[in-house]
């Protein structure tokens, strides 16, 4: 408290001295005017210094914390996938004279696909999702090659063994 009163009293004194020096500079000859303006400026500087010392100290501003900015991640572009290859499915070993099922998968809904056992046409492969099916019977024993032939150069093969 006493420091505050002392600072207030000093500020008041220097304000008056600066005001008086300014008044003297206004009405004095040029040789004294320079000294009066210098003293008035000095008194103003002292008052400003006392004002800045008198003000309460504010805590220093906190340093800015690093902010995390989300960088835009590129959206993954789906890689074009090839359509699955057509597949002809049949049991590997079959008994002579017994019917078995043959499936043609991954060709979509086609109706014009023929099934052959070597060079003999056995019939059409019917509709179905996901696979087209036909039931056939083979009588001659031995290894046989089944093939599905359709439009757009569709040719799919599978080997079976007739026992």
């Amino acid at each position: 408290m006493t420091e505050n009163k002392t600072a207030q009293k000093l500020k008041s004194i220097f304000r008056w001295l600066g005001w008086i020096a300014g008044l003297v500079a206004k009405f004095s000859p040029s040789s004294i005017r320079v000294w009066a303006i210098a003293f008035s400026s000095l008194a103003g500087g002292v008052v400003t210094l006392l004002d800045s010392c008198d003000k309460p100290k504010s805590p220093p501003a906190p340093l800015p914390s690093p902010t995390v900015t989300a960088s835009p991640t590129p959206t993954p572009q789906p890689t074009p996938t090839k359509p699955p290859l057509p597949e002809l499915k049949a049991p590997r070993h079959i008994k002579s004279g017994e019917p078995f099922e043959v499936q043609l998968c991954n060709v979509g809904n086609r109706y014009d696909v023929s099934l052959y056992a070597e060079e003999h046409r056995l019939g059409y492969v019917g509709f179905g999702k996901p696979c087209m099916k036909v039931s056939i019977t083979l009588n001659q024993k031995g290894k046989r090659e089944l093939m599905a032939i359709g439009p757009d150069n569709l040719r799919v093969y599978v080997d079976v063994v007739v026992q």
Side-chain angles (χ1 to χ4, degrees), residues 20-125:
I20 293 170
L23 186 64
V24 168
K26 199 170 200 176
F27 299 108
S28 64
S30 63
S31 62
I32 299 176
R33 183 177 295 160
V34 173
W35 288 101
I37 291 174
F39 185 75
S40 175
S41 298
L42 184 64
V46 171
V47 171
T48 305
L49 181 64
L50 289 172
D51 271 344
S52 67
C53 290
D54 215 18
K55 290 183 180 174
K57 301 283 183 182
S58 62
L63 294 174
S65 62
T67 58
V68 177
T69 57
S71 62
T73 56
T75 56
Q77 296 294 331
T79 56
T81 58
K82 292 182 179 180
L85 296 174
E87 181 180 14
L88 190 61
K89 298 178 183 179
R92 177 80 175 132
H93 298 280
I94 56 171
K95 291 191 176 184
S96 174
E98 290 185 7
F100 65 96
E101 188 176 86
V102 178
Q103 296 179 354
L104 178 62
C105 300
N106 304 323
V107 293
N109 277 331
R110 296 190 180 198
Y111 60 89
D112 51 355
V113 179
S114 296
L115 183 65
Y116 290 86
E118 293 163 349
E119 67 274 352
H120 303 288
R121 184 173 169 274
L122 302 175
Y124 286 112
V125 181

